[in-house]
Short mmCIF file of all heavy atoms in Angstrom, two decimals:
data_model
loop_
_atom_site.label_atom_id
_atom_site.label_comp_id
_atom_site.label_asym_id
_atom_site.label_seq_id
_atom_site.Cartn_x
_atom_site.Cartn_y
_atom_site.Cartn_z
N TYR A 1 21.92 43.11 -51.37
CA TYR A 1 20.51 43.47 -51.38
C TYR A 1 20.16 44.03 -49.95
O TYR A 1 20.31 43.25 -48.97
CB TYR A 1 19.58 42.28 -51.69
CG TYR A 1 19.78 41.76 -53.13
CD1 TYR A 1 20.86 40.94 -53.42
CD2 TYR A 1 18.93 42.08 -54.12
CE1 TYR A 1 20.98 40.46 -54.78
CE2 TYR A 1 19.06 41.67 -55.43
CZ TYR A 1 20.13 40.82 -55.76
OH TYR A 1 20.31 40.40 -56.99
N LEU A 2 19.67 45.20 -49.85
CA LEU A 2 19.18 45.71 -48.63
C LEU A 2 17.71 45.41 -48.35
O LEU A 2 16.81 46.02 -49.12
CB LEU A 2 19.34 47.22 -48.50
CG LEU A 2 20.84 47.77 -48.56
CD1 LEU A 2 20.77 49.30 -48.40
CD2 LEU A 2 21.73 47.13 -47.56
N GLN A 3 17.39 44.50 -47.48
CA GLN A 3 16.04 44.23 -47.16
C GLN A 3 15.57 45.07 -46.01
O GLN A 3 16.18 45.37 -45.06
CB GLN A 3 16.01 42.70 -46.66
CG GLN A 3 16.46 41.66 -47.76
CD GLN A 3 16.50 40.28 -47.25
OE1 GLN A 3 15.52 39.53 -47.52
NE2 GLN A 3 17.44 39.95 -46.41
N SER A 4 14.33 45.63 -46.24
CA SER A 4 13.72 46.50 -45.25
C SER A 4 13.58 45.72 -43.93
O SER A 4 13.40 44.54 -43.88
CB SER A 4 12.40 46.95 -45.76
OG SER A 4 11.34 45.86 -45.77
N VAL A 5 13.71 46.47 -42.78
CA VAL A 5 13.41 45.96 -41.53
C VAL A 5 11.96 45.51 -41.40
O VAL A 5 11.13 46.22 -41.85
CB VAL A 5 13.82 46.89 -40.40
CG1 VAL A 5 13.47 46.32 -39.00
CG2 VAL A 5 15.32 47.20 -40.60
N LEU A 6 11.78 44.31 -40.92
CA LEU A 6 10.31 43.77 -40.71
C LEU A 6 9.55 44.64 -39.56
O LEU A 6 10.23 45.06 -38.59
CB LEU A 6 10.26 42.29 -40.44
CG LEU A 6 10.70 41.50 -41.56
CD1 LEU A 6 10.95 40.03 -40.85
CD2 LEU A 6 9.75 41.34 -42.59
N PRO A 7 8.21 44.77 -39.69
CA PRO A 7 7.48 45.31 -38.59
C PRO A 7 7.50 44.49 -37.39
O PRO A 7 7.85 43.20 -37.57
CB PRO A 7 6.05 45.48 -39.17
CG PRO A 7 5.90 44.52 -40.25
CD PRO A 7 7.32 44.31 -40.88
N VAL A 8 7.14 44.98 -36.29
CA VAL A 8 7.02 44.20 -35.06
C VAL A 8 5.65 44.53 -34.42
O VAL A 8 4.98 45.48 -34.82
CB VAL A 8 8.09 44.52 -33.98
CG1 VAL A 8 9.54 44.02 -34.51
CG2 VAL A 8 8.14 46.04 -33.61
N THR A 9 5.18 43.77 -33.46
CA THR A 9 3.94 44.04 -32.80
C THR A 9 4.05 43.72 -31.33
O THR A 9 4.71 42.77 -30.85
CB THR A 9 2.74 43.26 -33.43
OG1 THR A 9 1.59 43.53 -32.61
CG2 THR A 9 3.03 41.77 -33.40
N ASP A 10 3.33 44.61 -30.48
CA ASP A 10 3.26 44.35 -29.00
C ASP A 10 2.07 43.51 -28.67
O ASP A 10 1.79 43.40 -27.53
CB ASP A 10 3.28 45.74 -28.31
CG ASP A 10 2.13 46.61 -28.75
OD1 ASP A 10 1.29 46.21 -29.66
OD2 ASP A 10 2.18 47.82 -28.38
N TYR A 11 1.48 42.92 -29.61
CA TYR A 11 0.24 42.19 -29.44
C TYR A 11 0.39 41.10 -28.30
O TYR A 11 -0.46 40.73 -27.51
CB TYR A 11 -0.30 41.58 -30.69
CG TYR A 11 -1.55 40.71 -30.58
CD1 TYR A 11 -2.78 41.25 -30.68
CD2 TYR A 11 -1.36 39.27 -30.49
CE1 TYR A 11 -3.94 40.57 -30.59
CE2 TYR A 11 -2.58 38.52 -30.45
CZ TYR A 11 -3.79 39.15 -30.45
OH TYR A 11 -4.94 38.27 -30.43
N TYR A 12 1.60 40.32 -28.38
CA TYR A 12 1.86 39.28 -27.45
C TYR A 12 2.57 39.68 -26.23
O TYR A 12 2.85 38.78 -25.42
CB TYR A 12 2.71 38.28 -28.26
CG TYR A 12 2.07 37.65 -29.47
CD1 TYR A 12 2.39 38.20 -30.81
CD2 TYR A 12 1.13 36.59 -29.32
CE1 TYR A 12 1.73 37.62 -31.92
CE2 TYR A 12 0.52 36.02 -30.42
CZ TYR A 12 0.83 36.59 -31.74
OH TYR A 12 0.14 35.99 -32.84
N LYS A 13 2.82 41.00 -26.01
CA LYS A 13 3.49 41.47 -24.83
C LYS A 13 4.80 40.76 -24.60
O LYS A 13 5.23 40.58 -23.36
CB LYS A 13 2.51 41.21 -23.64
CG LYS A 13 1.11 41.70 -23.79
CD LYS A 13 0.98 43.11 -24.05
CE LYS A 13 -0.48 43.58 -24.32
NZ LYS A 13 -0.67 45.03 -24.71
N LYS A 14 5.56 40.64 -25.56
CA LYS A 14 6.86 40.06 -25.55
C LYS A 14 7.91 40.99 -26.27
O LYS A 14 7.51 41.83 -27.03
CB LYS A 14 7.01 38.67 -26.12
CG LYS A 14 6.12 37.68 -25.44
CD LYS A 14 6.24 36.26 -26.03
CE LYS A 14 5.37 35.23 -25.36
NZ LYS A 14 5.53 33.93 -25.96
N PHE A 15 9.11 40.80 -25.81
CA PHE A 15 10.19 41.72 -26.48
C PHE A 15 9.81 43.21 -26.48
O PHE A 15 9.95 43.86 -27.44
CB PHE A 15 10.45 41.21 -27.90
CG PHE A 15 11.01 39.83 -28.02
CD1 PHE A 15 10.20 38.74 -28.48
CD2 PHE A 15 12.34 39.57 -27.79
CE1 PHE A 15 10.64 37.49 -28.46
CE2 PHE A 15 12.82 38.28 -27.89
CZ PHE A 15 12.03 37.27 -28.17
N ASN A 16 9.53 43.74 -25.33
CA ASN A 16 9.02 45.07 -25.11
C ASN A 16 10.13 46.01 -25.68
O ASN A 16 9.67 47.04 -26.32
CB ASN A 16 8.80 45.38 -23.61
CG ASN A 16 8.22 46.71 -23.50
OD1 ASN A 16 7.22 47.10 -24.02
ND2 ASN A 16 8.93 47.58 -22.74
N GLY A 17 11.38 45.77 -25.57
CA GLY A 17 12.38 46.65 -26.00
C GLY A 17 12.24 46.86 -27.46
O GLY A 17 12.59 47.98 -28.08
N HIS A 18 11.93 45.84 -28.28
CA HIS A 18 11.74 45.93 -29.65
C HIS A 18 10.43 46.58 -30.00
O HIS A 18 10.28 47.35 -30.86
CB HIS A 18 11.92 44.57 -30.30
CG HIS A 18 13.23 43.79 -29.95
ND1 HIS A 18 13.54 43.23 -28.83
CD2 HIS A 18 14.36 43.63 -30.83
CE1 HIS A 18 14.59 42.73 -28.87
NE2 HIS A 18 15.24 42.95 -30.13
N THR A 19 9.38 45.94 -29.46
CA THR A 19 8.01 46.12 -29.90
C THR A 19 7.51 47.54 -29.58
O THR A 19 6.58 48.10 -30.22
CB THR A 19 7.03 45.09 -29.46
OG1 THR A 19 7.00 45.01 -28.06
CG2 THR A 19 7.45 43.68 -30.02
N SER A 20 8.03 48.11 -28.42
CA SER A 20 7.48 49.39 -27.98
C SER A 20 8.01 50.48 -28.83
O SER A 20 7.50 51.64 -28.75
CB SER A 20 7.88 49.62 -26.53
OG SER A 20 9.35 49.70 -26.36
N ARG A 21 8.99 50.16 -29.62
CA ARG A 21 9.53 51.10 -30.54
C ARG A 21 9.21 50.90 -31.99
O ARG A 21 10.07 51.27 -32.83
CB ARG A 21 11.11 51.25 -30.29
CG ARG A 21 11.53 51.66 -28.82
CD ARG A 21 13.04 51.64 -28.80
NE ARG A 21 13.57 52.28 -27.44
CZ ARG A 21 13.85 51.41 -26.48
NH1 ARG A 21 13.84 50.02 -26.62
NH2 ARG A 21 14.29 51.87 -25.33
N TRP A 22 8.06 50.31 -32.22
CA TRP A 22 7.68 49.94 -33.47
C TRP A 22 7.63 51.06 -34.57
O TRP A 22 7.91 50.76 -35.72
CB TRP A 22 6.36 49.20 -33.46
CG TRP A 22 5.19 50.06 -33.02
CD1 TRP A 22 4.80 50.20 -31.69
CD2 TRP A 22 4.33 50.81 -33.76
NE1 TRP A 22 3.72 51.11 -31.64
CE2 TRP A 22 3.33 51.35 -32.90
CE3 TRP A 22 4.16 51.15 -35.13
CZ2 TRP A 22 2.39 52.33 -33.24
CZ3 TRP A 22 3.15 51.89 -35.54
CH2 TRP A 22 2.29 52.49 -34.66
N GLN A 23 7.50 52.27 -33.98
CA GLN A 23 7.35 53.44 -35.01
C GLN A 23 8.70 53.79 -35.63
O GLN A 23 8.83 54.58 -36.59
CB GLN A 23 6.75 54.59 -34.26
CG GLN A 23 5.22 54.40 -34.10
CD GLN A 23 4.73 55.53 -33.04
OE1 GLN A 23 5.26 55.66 -32.01
NE2 GLN A 23 3.54 56.04 -33.35
N THR A 24 9.78 53.28 -35.05
CA THR A 24 11.17 53.59 -35.57
C THR A 24 11.41 52.78 -36.86
O THR A 24 12.17 53.20 -37.74
CB THR A 24 12.20 53.14 -34.54
OG1 THR A 24 11.96 53.74 -33.24
CG2 THR A 24 13.69 53.59 -34.87
N VAL A 25 10.71 51.65 -37.07
CA VAL A 25 11.02 50.74 -38.19
C VAL A 25 10.72 51.49 -39.48
O VAL A 25 11.59 51.40 -40.48
CB VAL A 25 10.27 49.40 -38.08
CG1 VAL A 25 10.38 48.59 -39.35
CG2 VAL A 25 10.76 48.67 -36.89
N PRO A 26 9.57 52.16 -39.67
CA PRO A 26 9.43 52.88 -40.95
C PRO A 26 10.44 53.91 -41.22
O PRO A 26 10.79 54.19 -42.47
CB PRO A 26 7.99 53.46 -40.84
CG PRO A 26 7.32 52.60 -39.80
CD PRO A 26 8.31 52.13 -38.88
N GLU A 27 10.90 54.50 -40.15
CA GLU A 27 11.94 55.60 -40.41
C GLU A 27 13.18 54.90 -40.93
O GLU A 27 13.95 55.45 -41.78
CB GLU A 27 12.26 56.23 -39.09
CG GLU A 27 11.13 57.10 -38.45
CD GLU A 27 11.54 57.67 -37.08
OE1 GLU A 27 12.67 58.22 -37.10
OE2 GLU A 27 10.80 57.55 -36.11
N ILE A 28 13.62 53.77 -40.32
CA ILE A 28 14.70 53.01 -40.85
C ILE A 28 14.62 52.72 -42.24
O ILE A 28 15.54 52.94 -43.13
CB ILE A 28 15.09 51.77 -40.02
CG1 ILE A 28 15.24 52.02 -38.49
CG2 ILE A 28 16.20 50.98 -40.58
CD1 ILE A 28 15.31 50.88 -37.71
N ASN A 29 13.49 52.19 -42.67
CA ASN A 29 13.28 51.72 -44.09
C ASN A 29 13.30 52.89 -44.97
O ASN A 29 13.82 52.68 -46.13
CB ASN A 29 11.89 50.93 -44.13
CG ASN A 29 11.98 49.66 -43.38
OD1 ASN A 29 13.06 49.14 -43.22
ND2 ASN A 29 10.90 49.05 -42.99
N LYS A 30 12.72 53.98 -44.58
CA LYS A 30 12.98 55.18 -45.53
C LYS A 30 14.32 55.50 -45.74
O LYS A 30 14.80 55.78 -46.83
CB LYS A 30 12.22 56.38 -44.84
CG LYS A 30 12.13 57.63 -45.66
CD LYS A 30 11.37 58.73 -44.92
CE LYS A 30 11.38 59.99 -45.78
NZ LYS A 30 10.69 61.16 -45.09
N GLY A 31 15.19 55.46 -44.69
CA GLY A 31 16.60 55.75 -44.79
C GLY A 31 17.34 54.73 -45.64
O GLY A 31 18.24 55.00 -46.41
#
């Protein structure tokens, strides 16, 4: 079962490397 990658948020100002690229996630899930 391929589970879609979960969204992320920069609301908490943590994990900048992950959360600053949040727009990549929908692209991955489409693929």
Side-chain angles (χ1 to χ4, degrees):
Y1 296 83
L2 296 183
Q3 299 176 101
S4 66
V5 177
L6 290 167
V8 293
T9 177
D10 52 8
Y11 178 85
Y12 296 100
K13 310 301 181 187
K14 297 181 179 180
F15 296 101
N16 183 61
H18 302 75
T19 62
S20 64
R21 299 181 174 97
W22 61 272
Q23 291 169 308
T24 306
V25 174
E27 295 178 49
I28 298 169
N29 291 337
K30 183 178 179 181

